[in-house]
Amino acid sequence: MRQGMLEEGKATLRMKQDMQSDNGNMHDLIAYRIKFTPHSGDKWCIYPSYDYAYCIVDSLEDITHSLCTLEFETRRASYYWLLHVLDLYQPYVWEYSRLNVTNNVMSKRKLNFLVTKKLVDGWDDPRLMTLAGLRRRGVTSTAINAFVRGIGITRSDCCTIRLERLEYHIREELNRTVPRTMVVLQPLKVVITNLDSGLVMDLDAKKWPDASTEDSSAFYKVPFSRVVYIEQSDFRMKDSKDYYGLAPGKSVLLRYAFPIKCTEVVLADDNETIVEIWAEYDHSKKKNQRELYTGLLNLHGKLIH
């Protein structure tokens, strides 16, 4: 076999195990087979099987824990048998269930098919649930590690993790590290009638949602003046129980600012188009009402939260 005198499939070298064992993985498994495939040159034409090489490599490399999925559990007997016969160090073998995530292909065989058939753009295609794909998608290593720690390890063979679990850890990471910004796409003018026209108050705003109150660098100043702008969709002429925006006679809390109450609506000549809103602010309150999560645009044209 070693000298290449036999054709592929004509002979194999098997381990002399226990043919009477109830475990089929102890029935004289193949150790070497003939393969005329270049590998580190073309002089070596016999190759070790997984069952022969796996445990020996683990032992020679001083692996403390050999981790594998549940389908390899029946191979544990063969793993320890060969190391015992060769009088080699025996690592601890630990089987656990494979990771399944909803709406994602996790099988290496199926992933390899997608990549080799060029159905995707490679192993780092952002549509794939591979480490390279997740990193290319922008997912941080911190979020991935938090996801792995969060789901833990199980031996249940029918466990499927919802994709929302990963997305939760991604959001948690973004909320701690990524600055937010908001803009007004369809502005509606709001005049704060009980605020002097020349007065501008600088208020603290968070750069990201989970910013620490003790970290001054996590905040920036936003101006609050007599004229601000909100989104048109954040105002209605008729209020309802399921609507939390501004309406005539209703108070809302501008984010990072004060509660304002709509006192008057200025309409155009057609009596339908809203030109501007007049409102009064309550300087004694800031966080005791539901916030209106809307962008503001101050009189000087600077975008603020």
Side-chain angles (χ1 to χ4, degrees):
M1 289 174 60
R2 168 67 184 85
Q3 295 174 354
M5 299 174 62
L6 299 174
E7 298 178 3
E8 290 187 15
K10 290 294 184 179
T12 58
L13 180 64
R14 308 179 72 94
M15 295 181 278
K16 192 174 183 180
Q17 296 175 295
D18 183 7
M19 293 296 292
Q20 304 304 316
S21 175
D22 293 334
N23 187 342
N25 287 289
M26 286 295 291
H27 295 174
D28 294 359
L29 297 181
I30 294 175
Y32 276 89
R33 75 277 197 203
I34 303 170
K35 290 287 290 185
F36 292 105
T37 301
H39 179 72
S40 301
D42 56 2
K43 295 182 179 180
W44 196 260
C45 59
I46 58 173
Y47 291 84
S49 66
Y50 171 87
D51 295 282
Y52 183 79
Y54 176 45
C55 56
I56 295 177
V57 171
D58 281 351
S59 180
L60 295 180
E61 293 186 352
D62 293 325
I63 299 298
T64 59
H65 290 70
S66 179
L67 307 179
C68 52
T69 47
L70 288 175
E71 61 264 32
F72 295 97
E73 187 172 15
T74 57
R75 297 178 181 268
R76 190 195 301 179
S78 173
Y79 183 100
Y80 283 132
W81 176 88
L82 182 57
L83 293 180
H84 175 73
V85 170
L86 298 177
D87 193 25
L88 293 175
Y89 154 71
Q90 299 180 11
Y92 181 80
V93 178
W94 187 9
E95 299 90 2
Y96 54 91
S97 66
R98 58 174 291 165
L99 173 62
N100 295 304
V101 180
T102 55
N103 301 324
N104 280 274
V105 176
M106 303 298 292
S107 166
K108 292 190 291 293
R109 177 175 55 84
K110 294 178 180 179
L111 288 170
N112 185 63
F113 176 84
L114 294 175
V115 173
T116 55
K117 295 296 184 179
K118 300 187 182 304
L119 299 174
V120 294
D121 296 332
W123 289 98
D124 64 344
D125 190 298
R127 293 170 292 182
L128 300 182
M129 188 63 71
T130 60
L131 288 177
L134 288 172
R135 298 292 284 131
R136 184 178 172 190
R137 197 186 306 177
V139 181
T140 65
S141 58
T142 305
I144 296 174
N145 288 331
F147 168 69
V148 173
R149 287 192 299 269
I151 61 177
I153 298 175
T154 179
R155 286 180 57 84
S156 174
D157 201 22
C158 301
C159 182
T160 301
I161 305 299
R162 296 187 62 84
L163 181 62
E164 288 80 359
R165 289 288 297 273
L166 173 61
E167 294 173 342
Y168 164 79
H169 290 288
I170 295 174
R171 284 195 301 271
E172 288 292 294
E173 173 69 9
L174 295 178
N175 286 343
R176 290 190 298 267
T177 59
V178 179
R180 301 296 204 273
T181 186
M182 296 163 62
V183 297
V184 175
L185 299 179
Q186 295 179 315
L188 177 60
K189 183 179 180 180
V190 179
V191 179
I192 312 298
T193 57
N194 62 335
L195 187 64
D196 295 338
S197 59
L199 179 63
V200 177
M201 289 180 281
D202 289 329
L203 307 176
D204 289 329
K206 294 180 179 180
K207 290 183 179 179
W208 45 83
D210 292 346
S212 173
T213 56
E214 299 178 356
D215 183 8
S216 59
S217 65
F219 291 82
Y220 63 99
K221 297 294 183 179
V222 293
F224 180 73
S225 60
R226 181 179 174 87
V227 176
V228 297
Y229 290 84
I230 65 173
E231 284 287 348
Q232 293 181 11
S233 59
D234 285 328
F235 179 81
R236 291 182 183 177
M237 290 296 293
K238 294 183 179 180
D239 195 13
S240 61
K241 292 183 179 180
D242 59 347
Y243 176 65
Y244 303 112
L246 191 62
K250 183 179 180 181
S251 295
V252 296
L253 179 62
L254 297 179
R255 196 173 194 185
Y256 304 128
F258 303 91
I260 63 170
K261 181 178 181 179
C262 177
T263 58
E264 188 172 344
V265 179
V266 179
L267 301 177
D269 294 338
D270 59 5
N271 289 326
E272 292 184 1
T273 305
I274 301 174
V275 176
E276 64 182 37
I277 297 169
W278 291 3
E280 294 180 353
Y281 87 106
D282 187 348
H283 62 85
S284 64
K285 302 176 182 178
K286 285 191 68 174
K287 291 293 183 181
N288 60 343
Q289 299 186 37
R290 182 180 297 273
E291 290 189 8
L292 172 61
Y293 289 95
T294 181
L296 302 179
L297 189 66
N298 76 344
L299 183 61
H300 305 291
K302 181 177 179 181
L303 289 172
I304 63 174
H305 281 288

